[in-house]
Amino acid sequence: MWRSPYLRLHFGLWLATLGTGAVLLLPVALLEHLLQRWAQIDPVVGTGGQITLLLYAFLIVAPMEMATVTLAVLPYWRLRRVRMRAGLSRALETMEGVSFAVSAAIGFVSVRNLLYLWLYGSGWLSVLRVGLVTATFVLLCAGWGYVLGRHARRGMAGRRFSSAVLGTTVFSAVCDQLIFRHGVLALMAVLPVVVSMLLVAFVLWRDARGPGASSGGGPLSSIFTSAPAPSLHAIREAFRRQDRPLTLRWISFGALVTTGMITAGIALSVFLGHELGIDFSAVDRHEPGAQAIAPLALLGIGTLAAFPTSGYLLARASGTRSVLEPAMAAALALVLVMVFLGMVAPVSVVFAIAFAPIAFALSCVGAWVGLGQ
């Protein structure tokens, strides 16, 4: 697909998409500035109230920015479809949607990063934040770009594309909050989001190439192509109802078991921390280095360990042949945890969403093991 004739044919469209994304950032930045002045809030400094800033980030900034990137793709995607229907170009392919989305995202986020460095940049931490937000934003946009290319006939009017854009918008807001609105330790919470996106991108890349595709990219590409990873077909089969209808009893019971395991995991982490002499108050004092990282890592491990354990137990107890019920139980438990955290400390919901994909995947893995697959 990526031979030179193909690149020569569409490279101009990708460059135009990149430039359009870069240009459209300017009115978006101006509109955000005007809204902040009108509402008397400043997300960088943190003035305006915690809940107000979260609502502004999730309901205004992230949707507006993601919609702008999709708008940058729209004219060139339609032009590509016109070329195809006129017989001037071959049929649309999955990777083309990814290419258009990535091009627009790179143009948009590059100009946004330049503005950030110009206005607020100071030292290596600003460069690190810019690098992280570039990686996360481009990977997220590549997600809905994959859906766009996969369902090219429906285009941007499809329900799957709308769902993909909605999901990427939420995680874009989460990443922005963790990278720009909190301290250095919050940057560690971006790691599970990046790992989740890379794993999803790898599975989708393998699926787009097809089972019989040759690597054609040297030894490194051959390693990635032959690496053991579940295909989309295998994942769909694992979630398919196989032997009986879903039962609300097992889903509710699984959610309660998961929340109980989370509580037990946190309690065990605190106990082990005290036995090992770990000072949990170092997090509140914002102490640098391992003194603040160790308690967070211990609590994170204790919390995440609850999900594969509960998934395994539920799969064994329910006797199901699908991971759908344990997965729904884990999702319900995550929702309950987020609701509780939202009532206690709204900012912690951002961290919960960041770790939710890893927790959900661990629960599914535990259920898969419990099924004896």
Side-chain angles (χ1 to χ4, degrees):
M1 173 180 175
W2 302 107
R3 303 298 182 185
S4 55
Y6 183 88
L7 289 174
R8 286 197 299 268
L9 182 62
H10 300 296
F11 191 68
L13 288 178
W14 296 335
L15 281 181
T17 307
L18 187 147
T20 304
V23 170
L24 289 179
L25 180 277
L26 300 178
V28 170
L30 178 60
L31 181 58
E32 290 178 3
H33 176 70
L34 294 176
L35 287 173
Q36 291 170 19
R37 288 187 58 184
W38 174 76
Q40 297 182 353
I41 59 176
D42 190 344
V44 178
V45 180
T47 57
Q50 193 177 83
I51 297 179
T52 302
L53 292 176
L54 285 176
L55 293 176
Y56 173 71
F58 278 85
L59 300 181
I60 297 179
V61 175
M64 184 168 55
E65 291 183 349
M66 196 60 67
T68 303
V69 177
T70 58
L71 182 63
V73 172
L74 179 60
Y76 305 103
W77 180 254
R78 288 188 173 179
L79 178 60
R80 177 68 178 86
R81 296 183 67 177
V82 170
R83 282 186 177 184
M84 180 195 68
R85 292 173 180 175
L88 301 177
S89 186
R90 66 188 187 188
L92 290 164
E93 299 183 20
T94 301
M95 287 301 179
E96 289 190 62
V98 177
S99 301
F100 280 111
V102 168
S103 299
I106 291 175
F108 184 90
V109 77
S110 297
V111 178
R112 189 178 70 170
N113 289 339
L114 289 176
L115 288 176
Y116 173 79
L117 292 175
W118 179 39
L119 296 174
Y120 310 105
S122 58
W124 65 270
L125 186 57
S126 298
V127 177
L128 176 61
R129 284 174 168 162
V130 163
L132 281 175
V133 78
T134 300
T136 55
F137 192 78
V138 171
L139 284 172
L140 287 171
C141 291
W144 60 255
Y146 174 87
V147 177
L148 178 63
R150 186 77 171 180
H151 307 279
R153 289 190 176 183
R154 299 294 302 273
M156 295 185 179
R159 183 178 300 176
R160 293 182 179 179
F161 175 78
S162 301
S163 301
V165 171
L166 177 61
T168 55
T169 300
V170 172
F171 280 97
S172 175
V174 168
C175 291
D176 277 356
Q177 288 292 308
L178 295 175
I179 294 172
F180 292 114
R181 310 305 176 214
H182 297 279
V184 179
L185 290 177
L187 297 178
M188 295 181 58
V190 184
L191 182 61
V193 181
V194 175
V195 171
S196 302
M197 289 189 291
L198 289 176
L199 290 176
V200 171
F202 177 67
V203 172
L204 295 180
W205 174 75
R206 288 273 299 264
D207 180 73
R209 290 179 61 87
S214 59
S215 61
L220 184 60
S221 180
S222 300
I223 292 174
F224 283 125
T225 305
S226 59
S231 63
L232 285 181
H233 176 72
I235 294 175
R236 293 192 190 101
E237 287 296 321
F239 280 89
R240 185 169 296 172
R241 305 179 190 177
Q242 295 184 359
D243 51 357
R244 59 178 173 80
L246 295 174
T247 56
L248 182 61
R249 177 187 61 182
W250 284 113
I251 295 174
S252 303
F253 177 73
L256 292 176
V257 170
T258 304
T259 53
M261 293 295 296
I262 292 173
T263 305
I266 294 176
L268 182 60
S269 298
V270 173
F271 173 77
L272 290 177
H274 284 297
E275 290 294 321
L276 297 174
I278 296 177
D279 184 11
F280 287 90
S281 63
V283 179
D284 295 329
R285 296 196 300 267
H286 301 285
E287 294 187 5
Q291 292 182 348
I293 295 176
L296 290 176
L298 189 59
L299 290 173
I301 292 173
T303 302
L304 291 177
F307 288 90
T309 306
S310 61
Y312 174 84
L313 293 176
L314 181 60
R316 299 292 293 178
S318 63
T320 182
R321 303 304 302 168
S322 169
V323 302
L324 185 57
E325 282 182 353
M328 295 181 68
L332 180 58
L334 287 170
V335 171
L336 293 175
V337 170
M338 291 180 191
V339 170
F340 174 76
L341 292 176
M343 294 186 296
V344 176
V347 175
S348 60
V349 177
V350 176
F351 292 85
I353 296 175
F355 283 90
I358 293 291
F360 182 79
L362 289 174
S363 180
C364 294
V365 170
W368 180 262
V369 175
L371 295 177
Q373 300 289 344

